Amino acid sequence: MSEPLLVSVGFALRNSESRYGLAVLELAIASIRDQSYPHLEILVGDNGSTDKTTEVCEAWARVDRRVRVVRHDPPLTAQANFIYLFHAARGKYFTWAADDDFRTPNHLAVLVEALERYPEAALAFSDQREFSNHANYQEGWEVRRPFVTAGLSRRQRLDQMPQGSCTHLCYGLLRRDVLEQYEWFELDNSSFDVPMGYYLSLRAEMVYAPGACYYRFIPTKAKDLAARTVMNNYASPRWFFPERM
C-alpha cells in the first residue's frame, strides 16, 4: 500500500491578534486544520510577533501533531518568511495560508484531486470570493481570473499573467518539485509572486478546480489597506501592484 500524498501548508503570520483579534486567527487556523484532506503538515512561520499570536499557535501545536511552529526573532521580511516556509516543506504539494483568509473544508481535497488528474499542471486553483467583514465572509463577491492555461502557448500564458491574482498563485495548490527549481528574486514583498507566476506559466499548465472556494479578506478603506501593507512588508507601500496590497 502506497504512502498517502502529503500536502504542506505554510502559514505566514505576524501580530495577528493586534490586527484582527484572536477570534479571526483561531478561525483562520481552524480553516486549515479542519480540511477534509487529512494528510497535512502545517508549518507556521511566526514572524517575530509581539502579541498573543505565538501563544495561540503553540497551543494549536500541542493538540495537533501536524502543526509545527517556527518563530523568527528578529523577524524576517514577509517575502523571506514565505520563502522559508516553502523550503521547509516536505509534501508533494504545497500552499501558503494567511491569517485573515478562509477556505471551504474541501478546498485542499479538491485541489489535490485536480493535480493528480492533470500531472502536467503546476498549479490548481479554486473559486475565489473576496470579503471585508470576517463575521460574514461567505457573503463576499465572486472574483474571476483568466488563469486557466490548458491549450495555450507559452506566449499566451505570459500574456494573461498580468490579469491574474496573487491569491490563485500563493493560495492555490502548487506542485512543489516544479517550484523547487525556481530562483527567488529579491523584490519588494508586495510583488514577489509576480516573477514566480511568470516562471510557472513557462513551466507548466494551471488548472481550475471547481467545487471549493478560497475566501480572501480585502480591507475597504485605503488607510487600512496601506497599514496592512506596511505591517506585512515593513516598508512604504509600492503602488505598481495595488491588488497585492
Side-chain angles (χ1 to χ4, degrees), residues 21-85:
L22 291 180
V24 171
L25 175 59
E26 294 273 6
L27 285 173
I29 296 177
S31 179
I32 301 299
R33 291 185 66 237
D34 296 342
Q35 287 291 305
S36 61
Y37 190 84
H39 307 299
L40 307 178
E41 63 166 358
I42 303 171
L43 311 172
V44 178
D46 176 17
N47 208 11
S49 294
T50 56
D51 56 14
K52 291 185 179 179
T53 298
T54 303
E55 181 180 322
V56 170
C57 294
E58 290 179 345
W60 280 110
R62 286 194 292 271
V63 299
D64 189 334
R65 66 174 59 186
R66 300 175 302 172
V67 180
R68 176 160 58 93
V69 180
V70 176
R71 178 175 169 81
H72 304 301
D73 196 3
L76 308 174
T77 64
Q79 172 176 313
N81 192 22
F82 271 71
I83 296 172
Y84 168 84
L85 290 168

Short mmCIF file of all heavy atoms in Angstrom, two decimals, residues 21-85:
data_model
loop_
_atom_site.label_atom_id
_atom_site.label_comp_id
_atom_site.label_asym_id
_atom_site.label_seq_id
_atom_site.Cartn_x
_atom_site.Cartn_y
_atom_site.Cartn_z
N GLY A 21 -7.72 40.43 15.90
CA GLY A 21 -8.25 39.78 17.09
C GLY A 21 -8.00 38.28 17.05
O GLY A 21 -7.85 37.67 15.98
N LEU A 22 -7.99 37.67 18.22
CA LEU A 22 -7.68 36.25 18.31
C LEU A 22 -8.76 35.38 17.68
O LEU A 22 -8.47 34.29 17.19
CB LEU A 22 -7.49 35.86 19.78
CG LEU A 22 -6.24 36.42 20.46
CD1 LEU A 22 -6.18 35.97 21.91
CD2 LEU A 22 -4.97 36.00 19.72
N ALA A 23 -10.01 35.85 17.68
CA ALA A 23 -11.09 35.04 17.11
C ALA A 23 -10.85 34.79 15.62
O ALA A 23 -11.07 33.68 15.13
CB ALA A 23 -12.44 35.72 17.33
N VAL A 24 -10.38 35.82 14.90
CA VAL A 24 -10.11 35.66 13.47
C VAL A 24 -8.93 34.71 13.26
O VAL A 24 -8.96 33.84 12.39
CB VAL A 24 -9.84 37.02 12.81
CG1 VAL A 24 -9.34 36.85 11.38
CG2 VAL A 24 -11.10 37.87 12.82
N LEU A 25 -7.88 34.86 14.07
CA LEU A 25 -6.73 33.96 13.96
C LEU A 25 -7.15 32.51 14.20
O LEU A 25 -6.74 31.60 13.48
CB LEU A 25 -5.64 34.37 14.95
CG LEU A 25 -4.42 33.44 15.02
CD1 LEU A 25 -3.73 33.34 13.67
CD2 LEU A 25 -3.44 33.94 16.09
N GLU A 26 -7.97 32.28 15.23
CA GLU A 26 -8.44 30.93 15.52
C GLU A 26 -9.21 30.36 14.33
O GLU A 26 -9.03 29.20 13.97
CB GLU A 26 -9.33 30.95 16.76
CG GLU A 26 -8.62 31.31 18.06
CD GLU A 26 -7.99 30.12 18.74
OE1 GLU A 26 -8.02 29.02 18.15
OE2 GLU A 26 -7.48 30.29 19.85
N LEU A 27 -10.07 31.17 13.72
CA LEU A 27 -10.84 30.70 12.57
C LEU A 27 -9.94 30.40 11.37
O LEU A 27 -10.16 29.42 10.65
CB LEU A 27 -11.88 31.76 12.17
CG LEU A 27 -13.11 31.87 13.07
CD1 LEU A 27 -13.96 33.07 12.64
CD2 LEU A 27 -13.95 30.59 13.01
N ALA A 28 -8.92 31.23 11.16
CA ALA A 28 -8.02 31.01 10.04
C ALA A 28 -7.24 29.71 10.21
O ALA A 28 -7.08 28.94 9.26
CB ALA A 28 -7.06 32.19 9.91
N ILE A 29 -6.75 29.46 11.42
CA ILE A 29 -6.02 28.21 11.68
C ILE A 29 -6.96 27.02 11.57
O ILE A 29 -6.62 25.98 10.97
CB ILE A 29 -5.35 28.26 13.06
CG1 ILE A 29 -4.29 29.36 13.09
CG2 ILE A 29 -4.73 26.90 13.39
CD1 ILE A 29 -3.62 29.53 14.44
N ALA A 30 -8.17 27.15 12.12
CA ALA A 30 -9.14 26.06 12.03
C ALA A 30 -9.52 25.76 10.60
O ALA A 30 -9.78 24.61 10.23
CB ALA A 30 -10.39 26.41 12.85
N SER A 31 -9.52 26.79 9.73
CA SER A 31 -9.85 26.60 8.32
C SER A 31 -8.86 25.66 7.65
O SER A 31 -9.21 24.96 6.69
CB SER A 31 -9.84 27.96 7.61
OG SER A 31 -10.12 27.83 6.23
N ILE A 32 -7.63 25.62 8.16
CA ILE A 32 -6.62 24.69 7.64
C ILE A 32 -6.70 23.36 8.37
O ILE A 32 -6.71 22.29 7.75
CB ILE A 32 -5.21 25.29 7.79
CG1 ILE A 32 -5.11 26.61 7.01
CG2 ILE A 32 -4.15 24.30 7.30
CD1 ILE A 32 -5.35 26.49 5.54
N ARG A 33 -6.76 23.40 9.69
CA ARG A 33 -6.76 22.15 10.47
C ARG A 33 -7.98 21.28 10.18
O ARG A 33 -7.92 20.05 10.28
CB ARG A 33 -6.70 22.47 11.96
CG ARG A 33 -5.39 23.04 12.45
CD ARG A 33 -5.40 23.21 13.96
NE ARG A 33 -5.45 21.92 14.63
CZ ARG A 33 -6.40 21.56 15.51
NH1 ARG A 33 -7.37 22.39 15.79
NH2 ARG A 33 -6.37 20.38 16.08
N ASP A 34 -9.11 21.91 9.84
CA ASP A 34 -10.36 21.17 9.64
C ASP A 34 -10.60 20.76 8.19
O ASP A 34 -11.73 20.41 7.82
CB ASP A 34 -11.54 22.01 10.13
CG ASP A 34 -11.49 22.26 11.63
OD1 ASP A 34 -10.76 21.54 12.33
OD2 ASP A 34 -12.19 23.18 12.10
N GLN A 35 -9.57 20.81 7.37
CA GLN A 35 -9.72 20.37 5.99
C GLN A 35 -10.08 18.88 5.94
O GLN A 35 -9.59 18.08 6.74
CB GLN A 35 -8.42 20.61 5.21
CG GLN A 35 -8.15 22.07 4.88
CD GLN A 35 -9.13 22.62 3.85
OE1 GLN A 35 -9.29 22.07 2.76
NE2 GLN A 35 -9.79 23.70 4.21
N SER A 36 -10.92 18.52 4.99
CA SER A 36 -11.32 17.11 4.87
C SER A 36 -10.16 16.25 4.39
O SER A 36 -10.14 15.05 4.65
CB SER A 36 -12.50 16.98 3.90
OG SER A 36 -12.16 17.45 2.60
N TYR A 37 -9.19 16.86 3.71
CA TYR A 37 -7.98 16.12 3.33
C TYR A 37 -7.07 16.05 4.55
O TYR A 37 -6.57 17.08 5.02
CB TYR A 37 -7.26 16.80 2.17
CG TYR A 37 -6.16 15.95 1.59
CD1 TYR A 37 -6.45 14.98 0.62
CD2 TYR A 37 -4.85 16.08 2.02
CE1 TYR A 37 -5.45 14.18 0.10
CE2 TYR A 37 -3.85 15.27 1.50
CZ TYR A 37 -4.14 14.33 0.55
OH TYR A 37 -3.16 13.52 0.04
N PRO A 38 -6.83 14.87 5.12
CA PRO A 38 -6.17 14.78 6.42
C PRO A 38 -4.64 14.76 6.40
O PRO A 38 -4.01 15.01 7.43
CB PRO A 38 -6.70 13.46 6.98
CG PRO A 38 -6.88 12.61 5.74
CD PRO A 38 -7.31 13.55 4.64
N HIS A 39 -4.04 14.46 5.26
CA HIS A 39 -2.61 14.20 5.23
C HIS A 39 -1.85 15.52 5.05
O HIS A 39 -1.34 15.83 3.97
CB HIS A 39 -2.26 13.20 4.14
CG HIS A 39 -3.07 11.95 4.20
ND1 HIS A 39 -3.03 11.09 5.29
CD2 HIS A 39 -3.97 11.42 3.33
CE1 HIS A 39 -3.86 10.08 5.09
NE2 HIS A 39 -4.43 10.26 3.91
N LEU A 40 -1.78 16.28 6.12
CA LEU A 40 -1.20 17.61 6.09
C LEU A 40 -0.02 17.74 7.04
O LEU A 40 0.03 17.08 8.08
CB LEU A 40 -2.24 18.67 6.50
CG LEU A 40 -3.58 18.70 5.78
CD1 LEU A 40 -4.46 19.78 6.39
CD2 LEU A 40 -3.39 18.95 4.30
N GLU A 41 0.91 18.62 6.67
CA GLU A 41 1.82 19.20 7.64
C GLU A 41 1.58 20.71 7.58
O GLU A 41 1.51 21.29 6.50
CB GLU A 41 3.28 18.86 7.36
CG GLU A 41 3.83 19.39 6.06
CD GLU A 41 5.37 19.29 6.00
OE1 GLU A 41 5.99 18.86 6.98
OE2 GLU A 41 5.93 19.66 4.94
N ILE A 42 1.41 21.32 8.75
CA ILE A 42 1.08 22.73 8.83
C ILE A 42 2.26 23.45 9.47
O ILE A 42 2.55 23.29 10.66
CB ILE A 42 -0.20 22.97 9.66
CG1 ILE A 42 -1.36 22.15 9.05
CG2 ILE A 42 -0.56 24.45 9.69
CD1 ILE A 42 -2.61 22.14 9.90
N LEU A 43 2.99 24.22 8.65
CA LEU A 43 4.18 24.92 9.09
C LEU A 43 3.81 26.37 9.37
O LEU A 43 3.38 27.08 8.46
CB LEU A 43 5.27 24.85 8.02
CG LEU A 43 5.56 23.46 7.44
CD1 LEU A 43 6.51 23.57 6.26
CD2 LEU A 43 6.11 22.55 8.51
N VAL A 44 3.97 26.80 10.61
CA VAL A 44 3.63 28.16 11.00
C VAL A 44 4.91 28.98 11.10
O VAL A 44 5.79 28.67 11.92
CB VAL A 44 2.88 28.20 12.34
CG1 VAL A 44 2.57 29.64 12.74
CG2 VAL A 44 1.59 27.39 12.24
N GLY A 45 5.03 30.01 10.27
CA GLY A 45 6.16 30.93 10.36
C GLY A 45 5.72 32.16 11.13
O GLY A 45 5.16 33.09 10.57
N ASP A 46 5.95 32.15 12.44
CA ASP A 46 5.59 33.28 13.29
C ASP A 46 6.71 34.32 13.19
O ASP A 46 7.79 34.14 13.74
CB ASP A 46 5.40 32.82 14.73
CG ASP A 46 5.12 33.97 15.68
OD1 ASP A 46 4.76 35.06 15.21
OD2 ASP A 46 5.27 33.78 16.91
N ASN A 47 6.41 35.40 12.50
CA ASN A 47 7.47 36.34 12.11
C ASN A 47 7.68 37.42 13.17
O ASN A 47 7.41 38.61 12.95
CB ASN A 47 7.12 36.97 10.75
CG ASN A 47 8.35 37.36 9.97
OD1 ASN A 47 9.48 37.00 10.33
ND2 ASN A 47 8.15 38.10 8.90
N GLY A 48 8.18 36.99 14.35
CA GLY A 48 8.52 37.93 15.41
C GLY A 48 7.33 38.63 16.04
O GLY A 48 7.42 39.82 16.37
N SER A 49 6.21 37.92 16.20
CA SER A 49 5.02 38.55 16.79
C SER A 49 5.30 39.04 18.20
O SER A 49 6.04 38.41 18.98
CB SER A 49 3.86 37.55 16.81
OG SER A 49 3.44 37.23 15.50
N THR A 50 4.66 40.16 18.54
CA THR A 50 4.83 40.75 19.88
C THR A 50 3.52 40.72 20.66
O THR A 50 3.46 41.30 21.75
CB THR A 50 5.32 42.20 19.76
OG1 THR A 50 4.42 42.96 18.95
CG2 THR A 50 6.71 42.24 19.13
N ASP A 51 2.49 40.06 20.13
CA ASP A 51 1.22 39.93 20.84
C ASP A 51 1.02 38.46 21.19
O ASP A 51 1.98 37.72 21.32
CB ASP A 51 0.07 40.52 20.02
CG ASP A 51 -0.03 39.87 18.64
OD1 ASP A 51 0.60 38.81 18.43
OD2 ASP A 51 -0.74 40.41 17.78
N LYS A 52 -0.23 38.01 21.31
CA LYS A 52 -0.50 36.63 21.72
C LYS A 52 -0.54 35.64 20.54
O LYS A 52 -0.93 34.49 20.72
CB LYS A 52 -1.82 36.57 22.48
CG LYS A 52 -1.77 37.25 23.84
CD LYS A 52 -3.08 37.07 24.60
CE LYS A 52 -3.02 37.73 25.97
NZ LYS A 52 -4.29 37.57 26.72
N THR A 53 -0.12 36.09 19.38
CA THR A 53 -0.13 35.21 18.21
C THR A 53 0.70 33.96 18.47
O THR A 53 0.26 32.84 18.18
CB THR A 53 0.41 35.96 16.98
OG1 THR A 53 -0.45 37.06 16.69
CG2 THR A 53 0.49 35.04 15.78
N THR A 54 1.89 34.12 19.01
CA THR A 54 2.76 32.98 19.27
C THR A 54 2.10 32.00 20.22
O THR A 54 2.13 30.77 20.00
CB THR A 54 4.10 33.46 19.86
OG1 THR A 54 4.70 34.39 18.97
CG2 THR A 54 5.03 32.29 20.09
N GLU A 55 1.50 32.52 21.27
CA GLU A 55 0.86 31.68 22.28
C GLU A 55 -0.26 30.83 21.66
O GLU A 55 -0.39 29.64 21.95
CB GLU A 55 0.29 32.57 23.39
CG GLU A 55 -0.40 31.85 24.51
CD GLU A 55 -0.94 32.81 25.56
OE1 GLU A 55 -0.25 33.83 25.84
OE2 GLU A 55 -2.03 32.57 26.10
N VAL A 56 -1.08 31.44 20.82
CA VAL A 56 -2.18 30.72 20.18
C VAL A 56 -1.64 29.61 19.27
O VAL A 56 -2.13 28.47 19.30
CB VAL A 56 -3.07 31.70 19.38
CG1 VAL A 56 -4.06 30.94 18.50
CG2 VAL A 56 -3.80 32.64 20.31
N CYS A 57 -0.65 29.93 18.46
CA CYS A 57 -0.10 28.94 17.54
C CYS A 57 0.55 27.77 18.27
O CYS A 57 0.40 26.61 17.87
CB CYS A 57 0.89 29.60 16.59
SG CYS A 57 0.14 30.80 15.47
N GLU A 58 1.28 28.06 19.32
CA GLU A 58 1.91 26.99 20.09
C GLU A 58 0.88 26.11 20.79
O GLU A 58 1.09 24.90 20.96
CB GLU A 58 2.90 27.59 21.09
CG GLU A 58 4.14 28.18 20.40
CD GLU A 58 5.12 28.80 21.38
OE1 GLU A 58 4.73 29.02 22.54
OE2 GLU A 58 6.27 29.05 20.97
N ALA A 59 -0.25 26.71 21.19
CA ALA A 59 -1.33 25.91 21.77
C ALA A 59 -1.91 24.94 20.75
O ALA A 59 -2.20 23.78 21.06
CB ALA A 59 -2.42 26.84 22.31
N TRP A 60 -2.07 25.39 19.50
CA TRP A 60 -2.53 24.51 18.44
C TRP A 60 -1.54 23.37 18.22
O TRP A 60 -1.94 22.22 18.01
CB TRP A 60 -2.71 25.29 17.14
CG TRP A 60 -3.98 26.08 17.04
CD1 TRP A 60 -4.10 27.44 17.06
CD2 TRP A 60 -5.30 25.58 16.91
NE1 TRP A 60 -5.42 27.81 16.94
CE2 TRP A 60 -6.17 26.68 16.85
CE3 TRP A 60 -5.83 24.29 16.83
CZ2 TRP A 60 -7.56 26.54 16.71
CZ3 TRP A 60 -7.22 24.15 16.69
CH2 TRP A 60 -8.05 25.27 16.63
N ALA A 61 -0.24 23.67 18.25
CA ALA A 61 0.77 22.64 18.01
C ALA A 61 0.74 21.56 19.09
O ALA A 61 1.05 20.40 18.83
CB ALA A 61 2.15 23.28 17.94
N ARG A 62 0.36 21.94 20.30
CA ARG A 62 0.32 20.96 21.40
C ARG A 62 -0.81 19.94 21.23
O ARG A 62 -0.72 18.83 21.76
CB ARG A 62 0.19 21.68 22.74
CG ARG A 62 1.48 22.37 23.19
CD ARG A 62 1.42 22.78 24.65
NE ARG A 62 0.45 23.84 24.87
CZ ARG A 62 0.74 25.14 24.79
NH1 ARG A 62 1.98 25.52 24.48
NH2 ARG A 62 -0.18 26.06 25.01
N VAL A 63 -1.87 20.33 20.53
CA VAL A 63 -3.02 19.43 20.39
C VAL A 63 -3.11 18.79 19.01
O VAL A 63 -3.96 17.93 18.78
CB VAL A 63 -4.34 20.17 20.72
CG1 VAL A 63 -4.32 20.67 22.16
CG2 VAL A 63 -4.60 21.31 19.76
N ASP A 64 -2.26 19.22 18.08
CA ASP A 64 -2.30 18.68 16.73
C ASP A 64 -0.87 18.45 16.27
O ASP A 64 -0.12 19.40 16.01
CB ASP A 64 -3.02 19.65 15.79
CG ASP A 64 -3.30 19.05 14.41
OD1 ASP A 64 -2.57 18.13 13.99
OD2 ASP A 64 -4.25 19.51 13.75
N ARG A 65 -0.47 17.20 16.16
CA ARG A 65 0.91 16.88 15.81
C ARG A 65 1.28 17.31 14.40
O ARG A 65 2.47 17.32 14.05
CB ARG A 65 1.16 15.37 15.98
CG ARG A 65 0.39 14.50 15.02
CD ARG A 65 0.80 13.05 15.15
NE ARG A 65 0.57 12.55 16.49
CZ ARG A 65 0.96 11.33 16.89
NH1 ARG A 65 1.59 10.52 16.06
NH2 ARG A 65 0.72 10.94 18.12
N ARG A 66 0.30 17.65 13.58
CA ARG A 66 0.59 18.11 12.22
C ARG A 66 1.12 19.55 12.20
O ARG A 66 1.67 20.00 11.20
CB ARG A 66 -0.67 18.03 11.36
CG ARG A 66 -1.25 16.64 11.22
CD ARG A 66 -2.56 16.69 10.45
NE ARG A 66 -3.53 17.57 11.10
CZ ARG A 66 -4.71 17.92 10.57
NH1 ARG A 66 -5.04 17.47 9.36
NH2 ARG A 66 -5.52 18.71 11.22
N VAL A 67 0.93 20.28 13.29
CA VAL A 67 1.30 21.69 13.36
C VAL A 67 2.71 21.85 13.91
O VAL A 67 3.04 21.29 14.98
CB VAL A 67 0.30 22.48 14.23
CG1 VAL A 67 0.71 23.96 14.29
CG2 VAL A 67 -1.11 22.34 13.68
N ARG A 68 3.55 22.58 13.21
CA ARG A 68 4.90 22.89 13.69
C ARG A 68 5.12 24.39 13.60
O ARG A 68 4.94 24.99 12.54
CB ARG A 68 5.95 22.14 12.87
CG ARG A 68 7.38 22.48 13.23
CD ARG A 68 8.32 21.38 12.77
NE ARG A 68 8.25 21.13 11.34
CZ ARG A 68 9.05 21.72 10.43
NH1 ARG A 68 9.96 22.61 10.84
NH2 ARG A 68 8.95 21.43 9.15
N VAL A 69 5.52 25.01 14.71
CA VAL A 69 5.69 26.46 14.78
C VAL A 69 7.17 26.80 14.77
O VAL A 69 7.96 26.26 15.56
CB VAL A 69 5.03 27.04 16.04
CG1 VAL A 69 5.22 28.56 16.10
CG2 VAL A 69 3.55 26.69 16.07
N VAL A 70 7.57 27.71 13.89
CA VAL A 70 8.93 28.25 13.86
C VAL A 70 8.82 29.75 14.05
O VAL A 70 8.12 30.44 13.30
CB VAL A 70 9.64 27.93 12.53
CG1 VAL A 70 11.01 28.60 12.50
CG2 VAL A 70 9.76 26.44 12.33
N ARG A 71 9.49 30.27 15.06
CA ARG A 71 9.44 31.70 15.34
C ARG A 71 10.71 32.38 14.83
O ARG A 71 11.83 31.93 15.12
CB ARG A 71 9.31 31.94 16.85
CG ARG A 71 9.30 33.42 17.23
CD ARG A 71 9.06 33.62 18.72
NE ARG A 71 9.30 34.99 19.13
CZ ARG A 71 8.45 36.00 18.99
NH1 ARG A 71 7.26 35.75 18.45
NH2 ARG A 71 8.75 37.22 19.37
N HIS A 72 10.54 33.44 14.05
CA HIS A 72 11.66 34.22 13.54
C HIS A 72 11.82 35.46 14.42
O HIS A 72 10.97 36.34 14.42
CB HIS A 72 11.41 34.64 12.10
CG HIS A 72 11.14 33.50 11.17
ND1 HIS A 72 12.03 32.46 10.96
CD2 HIS A 72 10.06 33.21 10.38
CE1 HIS A 72 11.53 31.61 10.09
NE2 HIS A 72 10.33 32.04 9.73
N ASP A 73 12.90 35.49 15.16
CA ASP A 73 13.13 36.62 16.06
C ASP A 73 14.63 36.91 16.07
O ASP A 73 15.42 36.12 16.60
CB ASP A 73 12.64 36.27 17.47
CG ASP A 73 12.50 37.49 18.35
OD1 ASP A 73 12.73 38.62 17.84
OD2 ASP A 73 12.17 37.33 19.55
N PRO A 74 15.06 38.04 15.47
CA PRO A 74 14.25 39.13 14.90
C PRO A 74 13.50 38.68 13.66
O PRO A 74 13.89 37.70 13.01
CB PRO A 74 15.29 40.20 14.57
CG PRO A 74 16.55 39.43 14.32
CD PRO A 74 16.52 38.29 15.30
N PRO A 75 12.43 39.41 13.29
CA PRO A 75 11.61 39.00 12.16
C PRO A 75 12.32 39.11 10.83
O PRO A 75 13.21 39.94 10.64
CB PRO A 75 10.41 39.96 12.23
CG PRO A 75 10.92 41.16 12.95
CD PRO A 75 11.90 40.63 13.96
N LEU A 76 11.91 38.24 9.91
CA LEU A 76 12.35 38.32 8.53
C LEU A 76 11.47 39.32 7.79
O LEU A 76 10.49 39.82 8.33
CB LEU A 76 12.23 36.95 7.87
CG LEU A 76 12.86 35.75 8.57
CD1 LEU A 76 12.50 34.47 7.83
CD2 LEU A 76 14.36 35.91 8.67
N THR A 77 11.81 39.61 6.54
CA THR A 77 10.84 40.30 5.72
C THR A 77 9.70 39.32 5.44
O THR A 77 9.85 38.10 5.59
CB THR A 77 11.44 40.75 4.39
OG1 THR A 77 11.83 39.58 3.64
CG2 THR A 77 12.64 41.66 4.61
N ALA A 78 8.55 39.85 5.03
CA ALA A 78 7.42 38.97 4.73
C ALA A 78 7.79 37.99 3.61
O ALA A 78 7.46 36.81 3.67
CB ALA A 78 6.20 39.80 4.34
N GLN A 79 8.49 38.49 2.58
CA GLN A 79 8.89 37.62 1.48
C GLN A 79 9.78 36.49 1.98
O GLN A 79 9.60 35.33 1.61
CB GLN A 79 9.62 38.42 0.41
CG GLN A 79 10.23 37.54 -0.68
CD GLN A 79 10.88 38.34 -1.79
OE1 GLN A 79 10.29 39.28 -2.29
NE2 GLN A 79 12.08 37.96 -2.17
N ALA A 80 10.75 36.81 2.82
CA ALA A 80 11.67 35.78 3.32
C ALA A 80 10.93 34.74 4.15
O ALA A 80 11.28 33.55 4.13
CB ALA A 80 12.77 36.43 4.14
N ASN A 81 9.90 35.16 4.88
CA ASN A 81 9.11 34.21 5.66
C ASN A 81 8.36 33.26 4.74
O ASN A 81 8.32 32.04 4.97
CB ASN A 81 8.14 34.96 6.57
CG ASN A 81 7.49 34.06 7.61
OD1 ASN A 81 8.01 33.00 7.95
ND2 ASN A 81 6.35 34.48 8.12
N PHE A 82 7.75 33.80 3.69
CA PHE A 82 7.05 32.96 2.71
C PHE A 82 8.01 31.94 2.09
O PHE A 82 7.69 30.76 1.97
CB PHE A 82 6.44 33.82 1.61
CG PHE A 82 5.04 34.30 1.90
CD1 PHE A 82 4.80 35.27 2.86
CD2 PHE A 82 3.95 33.79 1.22
CE1 PHE A 82 3.53 35.72 3.13
CE2 PHE A 82 2.67 34.23 1.48
CZ PHE A 82 2.45 35.20 2.44
N ILE A 83 9.20 32.40 1.69
CA ILE A 83 10.15 31.52 1.04
C ILE A 83 10.67 30.46 2.02
O ILE A 83 10.85 29.29 1.66
CB ILE A 83 11.31 32.33 0.44
CG1 ILE A 83 10.79 33.25 -0.66
CG2 ILE A 83 12.40 31.42 -0.11
CD1 ILE A 83 11.80 34.24 -1.19
N TYR A 84 10.92 30.88 3.27
CA TYR A 84 11.36 29.92 4.28
C TYR A 84 10.37 28.76 4.40
O TYR A 84 10.76 27.58 4.46
CB TYR A 84 11.51 30.61 5.64
CG TYR A 84 11.67 29.63 6.78
CD1 TYR A 84 12.91 29.10 7.09
CD2 TYR A 84 10.55 29.20 7.50
CE1 TYR A 84 13.05 28.16 8.11
CE2 TYR A 84 10.68 28.26 8.52
CZ TYR A 84 11.93 27.75 8.81
OH TYR A 84 12.05 26.81 9.81
N LEU A 85 9.08 29.09 4.47
CA LEU A 85 8.07 28.05 4.64
C LEU A 85 8.07 27.08 3.47
O LEU A 85 7.92 25.86 3.67
CB LEU A 85 6.69 28.70 4.80
CG LEU A 85 6.48 29.46 6.11
CD1 LEU A 85 5.22 30.31 6.05
CD2 LEU A 85 6.40 28.49 7.29
#
